[in-house]
Amino acid sequence: MKEIAQAINAVMDEVNWVAKNMTVWSWNSSYKWVADKDVKQAIRESMIKNWLSILPIWWKPKIQIDRWEEEAIDYTTKEKILKTKQSIFTDIETEYLLLHTSWESIKVYWYGQWVDTQDKWAGKATTYALKNTLLNMFLIPTW
Protein backbone atom coordinates (compact mmCIF):
# COMPACT_ATOMS: atom_id res chain seq x y z
CA MET A 1 0.00 0.00 0.00
CA LYS A 2 3.06 2.25 0.03
CA GLU A 3 2.77 3.48 -3.56
CA ILE A 4 -0.93 4.30 -3.49
CA ALA A 5 -0.48 6.12 -0.16
CA GLN A 6 2.36 8.18 -1.63
CA ALA A 7 0.22 8.99 -4.69
CA ILE A 8 -2.71 10.10 -2.48
CA ASN A 9 -0.35 12.32 -0.47
CA ALA A 10 1.05 13.80 -3.68
CA VAL A 11 -2.45 14.75 -4.87
CA MET A 12 -3.19 16.26 -1.45
CA ASP A 13 0.01 18.30 -1.73
CA GLU A 14 -0.67 19.50 -5.29
CA VAL A 15 -4.38 20.40 -5.03
CA ASN A 16 -4.66 23.06 -2.33
CA TRP A 17 -8.32 24.05 -2.63
CA VAL A 18 -11.32 24.33 -4.94
CA ALA A 19 -13.28 27.58 -5.13
CA LYS A 20 -17.03 27.85 -4.67
CA ASN A 21 -17.62 29.47 -8.07
CA MET A 22 -21.28 28.59 -8.57
CA THR A 23 -24.13 30.65 -7.15
CA VAL A 24 -27.38 28.84 -6.44
CA TRP A 25 -30.56 30.87 -6.06
CA SER A 26 -33.33 29.63 -3.80
CA TRP A 27 -36.38 31.87 -3.40
CA ASN A 28 -35.04 35.11 -1.90
CA SER A 29 -31.57 33.93 -0.96
CA SER A 30 -28.47 32.52 -2.59
CA TYR A 31 -25.44 30.51 -1.60
CA LYS A 32 -22.11 29.51 -3.11
CA TRP A 33 -21.55 25.97 -4.36
CA VAL A 34 -18.59 23.95 -5.62
CA ALA A 35 -19.37 22.77 -9.12
CA ASP A 36 -18.67 19.17 -10.08
CA LYS A 37 -16.64 20.28 -13.11
CA ASP A 38 -14.40 22.45 -10.91
CA VAL A 39 -13.61 19.55 -8.57
CA LYS A 40 -12.83 17.18 -11.43
CA GLN A 41 -10.74 19.80 -13.23
CA ALA A 42 -8.72 20.57 -10.08
CA ILE A 43 -8.03 16.92 -9.23
CA ARG A 44 -7.83 15.23 -12.65
CA GLU A 45 -4.37 16.42 -13.72
CA SER A 46 -2.82 15.53 -10.37
CA MET A 47 -4.42 12.07 -10.35
CA ILE A 48 -3.08 11.38 -13.86
CA LYS A 49 0.37 12.68 -12.92
CA ASN A 50 0.43 10.42 -9.85
CA TRP A 51 -0.91 7.35 -11.67
CA LEU A 52 -4.29 7.21 -9.92
CA SER A 53 -7.75 6.49 -11.28
CA ILE A 54 -11.12 5.95 -9.65
CA LEU A 55 -13.90 3.65 -10.81
CA PRO A 56 -17.48 3.38 -9.57
CA ILE A 57 -18.03 -0.30 -8.77
CA TRP A 58 -21.28 -0.38 -6.78
CA TRP A 59 -24.19 1.86 -5.87
CA LYS A 60 -27.50 1.40 -4.10
CA PRO A 61 -30.18 4.08 -4.44
CA LYS A 62 -33.09 4.63 -2.09
CA ILE A 63 -35.81 6.62 -3.80
CA GLN A 64 -38.83 8.37 -2.31
CA ILE A 65 -41.37 9.86 -4.72
CA ASP A 66 -43.98 12.29 -3.41
CA ARG A 67 -46.81 13.54 -5.65
CA TRP A 68 -49.47 16.12 -4.89
CA GLU A 69 -51.81 18.56 -6.60
CA GLU A 70 -51.64 22.34 -6.38
CA GLU A 71 -53.91 25.04 -7.64
CA ALA A 72 -52.47 27.07 -10.47
CA ILE A 73 -53.68 29.63 -12.98
CA ASP A 74 -54.00 28.65 -16.63
CA TYR A 75 -52.41 31.70 -18.27
CA THR A 76 -54.41 31.18 -21.47
CA THR A 77 -57.89 31.00 -19.94
CA LYS A 78 -57.08 32.71 -16.60
CA GLU A 79 -58.97 29.90 -14.85
CA LYS A 80 -57.87 27.96 -11.79
CA ILE A 81 -56.63 24.45 -12.57
CA LEU A 82 -55.05 21.62 -10.62
CA LYS A 83 -51.46 20.75 -11.50
CA THR A 84 -49.74 17.57 -10.40
CA LYS A 85 -46.34 18.18 -8.82
CA GLN A 86 -43.71 15.70 -7.70
CA SER A 87 -40.52 15.54 -5.69
CA ILE A 88 -38.02 12.69 -6.02
CA PHE A 89 -35.65 12.32 -3.07
CA THR A 90 -32.67 10.08 -3.77
CA ASP A 91 -30.23 8.80 -1.18
CA ILE A 92 -27.47 6.76 -2.82
CA GLU A 93 -24.71 4.68 -1.27
CA THR A 94 -21.64 4.30 -3.47
CA GLU A 95 -18.46 2.27 -3.60
CA TYR A 96 -15.46 3.30 -5.68
CA LEU A 97 -12.16 1.61 -6.38
CA LEU A 98 -9.16 3.93 -6.20
CA LEU A 99 -6.47 2.34 -8.38
CA HIS A 100 -2.76 2.93 -8.72
CA THR A 101 -0.62 1.65 -11.60
CA SER A 102 1.31 -0.48 -9.07
CA TRP A 103 -1.91 -2.61 -8.85
CA GLU A 104 -2.52 -1.37 -5.33
CA SER A 105 -6.11 -0.31 -4.73
CA ILE A 106 -8.40 0.98 -2.00
CA LYS A 107 -12.18 0.74 -1.78
CA VAL A 108 -13.77 4.09 -0.97
CA TYR A 109 -17.36 4.41 0.25
CA TRP A 110 -19.54 7.49 0.17
CA TYR A 111 -23.13 8.60 -0.27
CA GLY A 112 -25.03 11.29 -2.08
CA GLN A 113 -28.45 12.86 -1.74
CA TRP A 114 -30.52 14.87 -4.14
CA VAL A 115 -34.06 16.16 -4.56
CA ASP A 116 -35.35 16.65 -8.09
CA THR A 117 -38.72 17.18 -9.72
CA GLN A 118 -37.96 15.39 -12.99
CA ASP A 119 -35.77 12.57 -14.28
CA LYS A 120 -32.26 13.70 -13.34
CA TRP A 121 -32.27 12.41 -9.75
CA ALA A 122 -29.89 9.46 -10.35
CA GLY A 123 -27.27 11.47 -12.22
CA LYS A 124 -27.35 14.31 -9.71
CA ALA A 125 -27.10 12.02 -6.66
CA THR A 126 -24.20 10.01 -8.12
CA THR A 127 -22.41 13.19 -9.26
CA TYR A 128 -22.77 14.67 -5.78
CA ALA A 129 -21.43 11.44 -4.23
CA LEU A 130 -18.34 11.33 -6.48
CA LYS A 131 -17.62 15.04 -6.00
CA ASN A 132 -17.68 14.67 -2.22
CA THR A 133 -15.70 11.43 -2.34
CA LEU A 134 -12.89 13.22 -4.18
CA LEU A 135 -12.98 16.30 -1.94
CA ASN A 136 -12.92 14.24 1.25
CA MET A 137 -10.49 11.55 0.08
CA PHE A 138 -7.86 14.17 -0.76
CA LEU A 139 -8.85 16.53 2.10
CA ILE A 140 -9.42 19.45 -0.27
CA PRO A 141 -10.97 22.55 1.33
CA THR A 142 -13.60 24.55 -0.57
CA TRP A 143 -13.38 27.72 1.52
Side-chain angles (χ1 to χ4, degrees), residues 7 17 25 28 36 73 75-76 80 90 99 101 119 127 131:
W17 66 286
W25 290 94
N28 293 329
D36 171 68
I73 301 292
Y75 292 105
T76 312
K80 287 185 181 180
T90 307
L99 300 162
T101 54
D119 61 347
T127 296
K131 177 179 84 169

Side-chain angles (χ1 to χ4, degrees), residues 61 63 88 90 92 114 116 119-128:
I63 303 162
I88 304 169
T90 307
I92 192 162
W114 200 267
D116 195 63
D119 61 347
K120 296 179 176 45
W121 52 268
K124 289 180 178 181
T126 53
T127 296
Y128 189 77

Side-chain angles (χ1 to χ4, degrees), residues 2-16 42-43 45-52 98 100 137-140:
K2 179 181 177 182
E3 291 188 49
I4 196 168
Q6 288 175 334
I8 292 168
N9 283 333
V11 173
M12 290 169 63
D13 184 50
E14 293 169 9
V15 182
N16 294 315
I43 295 172
E45 187 176 323
S46 183
M47 285 184 70
I48 292 169
K49 178 181 166 189
N50 291 289
W51 304 102
L52 289 171
L98 182 68
H100 187 262
M137 180 171 43
F138 297 115
L139 300 177
I140 299 171

